[in-house]
């Protein structure tokens, strides 16, 4: 009974690490290339390769081996260090397909709301 609980916890942890790596990979894929260089971080291709490897390793290997732990560290480094620096340069969520109009809280979908 105890082993079933442990296996369930490890399976849940594996899913969480895969989701973390997948989110970091997709976030890096939609950020602009020049923002990585301007932030003084490694290139976009470097982070895409590292995060892609982290996602594959977290899927293929047991959670108790060293490779998924290294992938988790790479994902956390991207999310804690690289992503905020790149996001600050690009102005928030513009990397996710928004075309980067500045704007205020009173802006509607077609421009400022003057009501």
């Amino acid at each position: 009974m105890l082993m079933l609980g442990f296996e369930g916890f490890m399976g849940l942890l594996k899913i969480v690490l895969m989701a973390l790596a997948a989110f970091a990979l997709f976030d890096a894929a939609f950020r602009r290339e020049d923002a990585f260089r301007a932030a003084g971080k490694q290139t976009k291709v470097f982070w895409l390769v590292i995060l892609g490897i982290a996602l594959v390793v977290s899927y293929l290997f047991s959670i108790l081996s060293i490779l998924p732990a290294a992938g988790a560290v790479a994902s956390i480094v991207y999310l804690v260090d690289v992503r905020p620096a790149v996001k600050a340069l690009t102005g928030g969520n513009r990397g996710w397909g928004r075309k980067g109009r500045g704007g205020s809280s009173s802006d509607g979908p077609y421009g400022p709301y003057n009501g």
Side-chain angles (χ1 to χ4, degrees), residues 2 9-10 28 32 57 66 72 76 82 91 94 101 107 111 113:
L2 185 60
F9 173 74
M10 295 306 272
R32 292 182 8 206
V57 161
I66 191 73
I76 291 169
V82 178
R94 292 183 189 168
R101 304 178 313 262
D107 282 355
Y113 176 72

Side-chain angles (χ1 to χ4, degrees), residues 22-82:
F23 174 75
L25 178 66
F26 288 124
D27 184 74
F30 287 105
R31 298 287 172 190
R32 292 182 8 206
E33 170 71 32
D34 59 341
F36 285 85
R37 289 188 308 257
K41 305 299 177 184
Q42 293 289 333
T43 64
K44 179 178 180 175
V45 173
F46 172 83
W47 282 108
L48 290 175
V49 168
I50 293 296
L51 295 171
I53 291 171
L55 181 60
V56 169
V57 161
S58 65
Y59 176 73
L60 291 179
F61 291 96
S62 169
I63 195 72
L64 296 176
S65 69
I66 191 73
L67 293 176
V73 168
S75 300
I76 291 169
V77 165
Y78 175 80
L79 292 173
V80 172
D81 182 38
V82 178

Side-chain angles (χ1 to χ4, degrees), residues 91 94 98-104 107-111:
R94 292 183 189 168
R98 295 181 64 194
K99 293 300 178 198
R101 304 178 313 262
S104 69
D107 282 355
Y110 304 109

